[in-house]
Amino acid sequence: MSRLHFFLYKRSIFLFFYVVLFALSGEISANKGLEIAELSDKNNEGYIDSSSSMVMQLINKKGDIVERKLSFKRLEVPEDGDKSIAIFESPRDVKGVAILSYAHKVDSDDQWLYLPALKRVKRIASKNKSGPFLGSEFSFEDFSFQEVEKYEYKFIGEEACLNLTCYLIERRPLDPYSGYTKQLVWIDKDNYLVQKIHHYDRKSFHLKTQTFEEYKLYEGFFWQPHKVMMMNHQNGKSSVLKFQDVKLNNGFTDKDFSQNSLRRSR
Amino acid sequence: MSQIKTLLVFIIFSAPLMGEVIGEFSFDNRYFFNEGAQGQKQNHSSFSISPEIFFEEDKRIFHFKPKLRKDNEDPERNLVDVQELYLLEILEDREIKYGISKEFWGVTETSHRVDIINQTDSSESFDGEDKLGQPMVKISFERDWGLLDIYALIGFRERTFVGQNGRLRLPIVTDTDNPSYASSAKTARIDFAMRWANYFDNFEIAVSHFSGTSREPRFLPSPKKLNQIAPHYEVIDQSSIEMQYFLGSLALKGEIISRSGQGDRFSAATYGFEYTQVGILDSRLDLGWVVEANHDDRLKSSPAVLGTRLIMNDISDTQILSGFIYDERSEEIGFLLEATRRLGDCCLVSVEGMYFDDINEDNNEKKLFSPFKEDDFLRMEFIYYFGD
């Protein structure tokens, strides 16, 4: 059985298991929020590796748009968080700057920054994740992988979301360095895809709304949103992230995500 | 200038064959508040151009990046340098780099003790951050036990120094035309270096050794020019350790070297911490702090540096950097303030000010900044990025 088929097989067993579990547990389950989150997370499992290019649009109150370009590579690490490299293409003064991240399920992530002008790889204290990413409304935290283990969940109910029906769950980050106190997450009932997140800041103010659009299915099991929007309600600015040229199974290995590989980026 | 023309012609004609050509053009103007201690002018400007070709295919990378600089006052600041001209081959179990390149070693922010592969372009800036390209063959092995780089450094580059008309210089002029070498091979000596680096959770470590011609010269009276000093490059052995430990938002860092070959064996170290406050006062602003102490067996004093970096996290990536250096022994201070921001998608502008002060003139210890006491300046740099 190929690795891909194995994951598909595993996925369907999980789905079956959860369907049975749901049927038995009835309406209210203390763990229902977690179960939905786990099912949703399965959509990100088994992809092995992916590459894509990203365009990030920063939109101010008046509607002026500034664009940033990045290329992005990701490697799945079974039993732990994923490894990724983001390389900046534009604006020009940061061209070649790269960020290597090793996400971990429970521990905080490891991150290294490569500065091509200095030829320097610099480890960054990854606790600093609530800050804005590239001047956008996304924070480093929004950009990193949202491992299920990093939150505590509560099931709230079901709600219509656009033309779908969604589960609404509340999650609270366990990491004390998170910029958020809680997040409301809308996950659709059909495919368990995250459709919308309300982010509440440290003062429990509804600071940002994130929406996920243009989901496409790859290899029959991997769902990738192609447009992610983040609206900041405090400053009226928003950021849009568009994914292009998404490709799975590039044959990446750990060596493509090492500190040494960072130094190759320019 | 003929070298410059040749290089430019080469770049222009080779560009379409090589893939994308990008680069930067920078204009730099320094205004000094006083006439120089040796009568140098108050306004100094220079421009530099640095095109770049980067070509990547499956397991090979080619990189070419020359740099040309022209100064209106100080001919010693004129530069033609190849910063990068290498082929990197990525093989199954190792990586080999052939050609000219820059390699950075080290972890601290205010001083780079361990960094030794490349010669310092000290005429560009007095901070020692600018380097010249170094010809090399480098083999890298990356395994479970860490990253091992082994270098054969082919040939030696002389350090650049500010000239007679230049500023932020010592009272005595450096004669760069008559350097001397301990090695009979002079600049043709092949030097060796290696570095092992690894990390264990929040702890990072690197151990390295360099054996070859010292990048940092000592000075002898010039054999040809009266009242000038000439660099003397000895053969040294330098072993070093870099360490850093991360504790939440705090990074503890240190690097130490031990060098033999320039008189008695000596050690030098830089150590301190870096701390970042994210979202100060509930804003988008980040504030980073760096505190580092410097020790050098050759000097009596150990100046300490406090640096801050205010990051605005705006669309223009505005940053304000400050550096405050204090020498307890001589009771002198130096203060630097630098602001940079992006202009549109094409350009970057930075404004920098530097101020030196002697707090206690009655202090008779050796003064570190006294040669620069007339050299407080304001600098403006404008960078235009060309190509796509």
Side-chain angles (χ1 to χ4, degrees):
Chain A
M1 201 183 300
S2 77
R3 192 166 171 199
L4 192 126
H5 283 108
F6 173 70
F7 275 110
L8 286 173
Y9 176 65
K10 205 173 93 178
R11 223 166 84 79
S12 54
I13 289 186
F14 268 111
L15 276 171
F16 177 73
F17 174 75
Y18 280 107
V19 167
V20 170
L21 194 83
F22 271 46
L24 291 175
S25 65
E27 272 287 301
I28 298 158
S29 155
N31 290 325
K32 194 168 176 185
L34 173 64
E35 284 156 10
I36 294 164
E38 280 175 341
L39 278 172
S40 177
D41 190 56
K42 293 278 175 282
N43 283 311
N44 288 321
E45 209 170 77
Y47 70 90
I48 304 173
D49 71 47
S50 75
S51 66
S52 55
S53 47
M54 283 191 226
V55 176
M56 189 157 75
Q57 295 179 322
L58 315 184
I59 306 162
N60 71 9
K61 250 184 191 165
K62 286 183 277 174
D64 302 331
I65 299 176
V66 176
E67 277 193 354
R68 309 271 175 262
K69 289 197 182 91
L70 316 164
S71 69
F72 191 63
K73 291 194 291 189
R74 224 171 126 171
L75 179 72
E76 185 171 38
V77 181
E79 309 302 317
D80 200 357
D82 295 351
K83 294 182 177 181
S84 68
I85 290 187
I87 302 172
F88 299 164
E89 307 284 344
S90 79
R92 279 297 310 283
D93 57 292
V94 292
K95 187 178 171 92
V97 170
I99 299 176
L100 170 69
S101 304
Y102 292 177
H104 298 300
K105 283 205 183 293
V106 183
D107 294 342
S108 49
D109 303 348
D110 300 325
Q111 275 183 337
W112 293 266
L113 180 69
Y114 175 69
L115 302 162
L118 302 172
K119 294 286 196 131
R120 180 171 179 186
V121 174
K122 187 178 170 181
R123 177 137 175 197
I124 37 186
S126 58
K127 301 276 192 239
N128 308 329
K129 58 191 202 180
S130 58
F133 181 78
L134 262 186
S136 73
E137 302 314 311
F138 292 98
S139 66
F140 276 90
E141 184 172 3
D142 303 324
F143 238 79
S144 63
F145 310 111
Q146 306 183 350
E147 304 290 342
V148 173
E149 290 82 350
K150 289 188 170 173
Y151 304 89
E152 163 184 286
Y153 299 86
K154 199 162 97 186
F155 178 70
I156 302 216
E158 288 179 21
E159 242 184 47
C161 50
L162 291 174
N163 48 357
L164 299 164
T165 312
C166 282
Y167 294 115
L168 173 57
I169 58 176
E170 181 189 298
R171 67 180 192 198
R172 288 176 184 273
L174 296 172
D175 185 343
Y177 291 93
S178 171
Y180 305 121
T181 46
K182 73 167 184 183
Q183 290 162 320
L184 292 178
V185 188
W186 281 260
I187 296 171
D188 77 74
K189 288 178 79 169
D190 296 347
N191 294 306
Y192 290 92
L193 304 175
V194 174
Q195 300 289 342
K196 189 164 76 170
I197 304 179
H198 283 178
H199 300 273
Y200 290 79
D201 68 11
R202 292 196 180 121
K203 285 173 280 181
S204 294
F205 170 76
H206 176 200
L207 181 68
K208 299 190 290 190
T209 298
Q210 186 174 11
T211 53
F212 300 77
E213 293 171 26
E214 299 173 20
Y215 271 105
K216 272 188 211 156
L217 188 62
Y218 288 85
E219 311 276 351
F221 72 98
F222 182 72
W223 288 97
Q224 167 76 46
H226 285 248
K227 189 175 173 190
V228 180
M229 293 202 343
M230 184 68 96
M231 176 77 208
N232 185 320
H233 303 294
Q234 198 169 52
N235 62 18
K237 294 180 190 169
S238 61
S239 298
V240 181
L241 200 56
K242 291 177 178 169
F243 290 81
Q244 295 161 346
D245 310 321
V246 178
K247 221 179 124 199
L248 263 58
N249 298 314
N250 299 276
F252 296 150
T253 65
D254 281 332
K255 281 190 179 158
D256 297 301
F257 297 85
S258 66
Q259 280 195 53
N260 192 40
S261 72
L262 260 190
R263 303 192 297 189
R264 284 180 215 139
S265 87
R266 183 165 285 266
Chain B
M1 284 314 267
S2 68
Q3 283 164 299
I4 297 182
K5 272 185 202 151
T6 317
L7 258 175
L8 281 175
V9 167
F10 178 72
I11 293 157
I12 290 161
F13 284 96
S14 60
L17 308 171
M18 309 300 305
E20 53 169 347
V21 181
I22 58 165
E24 56 183 76
F25 173 83
S26 106
F27 176 77
D28 176 61
N29 194 81
R30 281 179 302 164
Y31 176 77
F32 294 88
F33 296 102
N34 298 304
E35 188 179 82
Q38 296 82 30
Q40 302 99 312
K41 293 198 174 144
Q42 280 178 269
N43 207 59
H44 292 235
S45 61
S46 66
F47 69 84
S48 71
I49 180 165
S50 192
E52 189 174 0
I53 294 164
F54 189 83
F55 190 73
E56 187 172 9
E57 53 166 54
D58 195 21
K59 295 288 173 199
R60 270 196 200 96
I61 289 169
F62 172 78
H63 193 181
F64 177 41
K65 188 183 181 187
K67 179 179 178 180
L68 316 167
R69 182 176 60 229
K70 178 91 179 82
D71 190 276
N72 76 329
E73 287 297 329
D74 181 7
E76 288 292 323
R77 273 195 98 226
N78 293 346
L79 179 78
V80 180
D81 183 50
V82 177
Q83 301 255 295
E84 311 280 347
L85 176 58
Y86 66 79
L87 182 73
L88 178 69
E89 268 198 294
I90 302 152
L91 304 170
E92 196 53 44
D93 60 342
R94 64 191 184 275
E95 220 178 84
I96 310 178
K97 187 185 251 184
Y98 310 89
I100 299 168
S101 191
K102 292 204 287 187
E103 295 274 322
F104 179 84
W105 291 1
V107 291
T108 54
E109 301 301 318
T110 59
S111 172
H112 307 302
R113 307 259 173 207
V114 168
D115 191 31
I116 197 168
I117 297 296
N118 297 85
Q119 182 57 277
T120 302
D121 179 11
S122 68
S123 69
E124 166 80 46
S125 168
F126 65 96
D127 62 12
E129 297 274 352
D130 297 278
K131 300 287 171 181
L132 302 174
Q134 169 68 44
M136 66 178 74
V137 176
K138 171 193 167 194
I139 305 182
S140 306
F141 301 93
E142 196 167 32
R143 300 283 191 279
D144 294 341
W145 41 256
L147 174 65
L148 180 68
D149 295 318
I150 301 171
Y151 302 80
L153 304 166
I154 300 159
F156 177 77
R157 306 288 315 273
E158 288 169 39
R159 185 168 288 207
T160 62
F161 293 97
V162 166
Q164 183 128 29
N165 300 330
R167 294 198 68 167
L168 288 172
R169 74 160 168 92
L170 298 173
I172 188 160
V173 174
T174 308
D175 173 13
T176 51
D177 297 330
N178 296 292
S180 57
Y181 297 88
S183 166
S184 56
K186 296 188 173 170
T187 58
R189 192 180 193 281
I190 296 176
D191 298 338
F192 290 95
M194 58 194 290
R195 179 174 183 263
W196 165 82
N198 204 354
Y199 80 100
F200 308 92
D201 288 326
N202 293 326
F203 179 67
E204 298 211 341
I205 184 167
V207 178
S208 52
H209 187 80
F210 169 89
S211 180
T213 302
S214 177
R215 274 55 183 143
E216 181 185 33
R218 291 205 291 177
F219 295 94
L220 300 173
S222 166
K224 302 225 169 101
K225 295 180 187 166
L226 201 63
N227 295 329
Q228 293 199 4
I229 46 172
H232 178 61
Y233 297 98
E234 287 141 314
V235 175
I236 61 161
D237 270 278
Q238 175 168 314
S239 307
S240 29
I241 301 175
E242 304 154 45
M243 281 184 287
Q244 48 184 344
Y245 182 70
F246 290 83
L247 207 73
S249 303
L250 182 72
L252 302 170
K253 303 173 176 199
E255 45 182 88
I256 181 164
I257 62 162
S258 172
R259 186 190 294 175
S260 66
Q262 287 177 317
D264 292 338
R265 172 177 281 278
F266 70 91
S267 313
T270 297
Y271 49 90
F273 68 84
E274 184 173 1
Y275 180 76
T276 308
Q277 290 173 274
V278 177
I280 48 165
L281 305 168
D282 286 322
S283 68
R284 287 172 81 87
L285 311 187
D286 298 342
L287 182 61
W289 298 84
V290 174
V291 176
E292 282 176 1
N294 291 280
H295 169 78
D296 191 322
D297 284 350
R298 295 168 297 179
L299 298 172
K300 281 184 180 167
S301 50
S302 306
V305 183
L306 165 70
T308 62
R309 183 194 293 274
L310 183 67
I311 301 167
M312 306 288 214
N313 284 313
D314 57 346
I315 277 182
S316 308
D317 231 341
T318 311
Q319 301 195 4
I320 300 171
L321 196 75
S322 81
F324 181 79
I325 179 164
Y326 175 62
D327 186 44
E328 197 181 10
R329 206 174 170 95
S330 66
E331 296 183 84
E332 288 173 292
I333 57 164
F335 182 67
L336 171 128
L337 195 66
E338 184 184 355
T340 58
R341 80 175 304 197
R342 180 183 302 135
L343 292 177
D345 265 356
C346 69
C347 309
L348 191 78
V349 65
S350 86
V351 178
E352 180 186 343
M354 182 83 217
Y355 171 78
F356 298 100
D357 201 8
D358 193 350
I359 303 175
N360 182 1
E361 287 180 15
D362 297 333
N363 180 325
N364 290 321
E365 291 291 340
K366 186 173 186 286
K367 298 287 184 183
L368 298 177
F369 306 141
S370 63
F372 313 133
K373 67 180 179 210
E374 305 297 331
D375 286 339
D376 298 343
F377 68 84
L378 201 60
R379 171 174 170 262
M380 199 281 293
E381 187 182 19
F382 177 83
I383 301 174
Y384 170 73
Y385 298 92
F386 57 86
D388 191 25

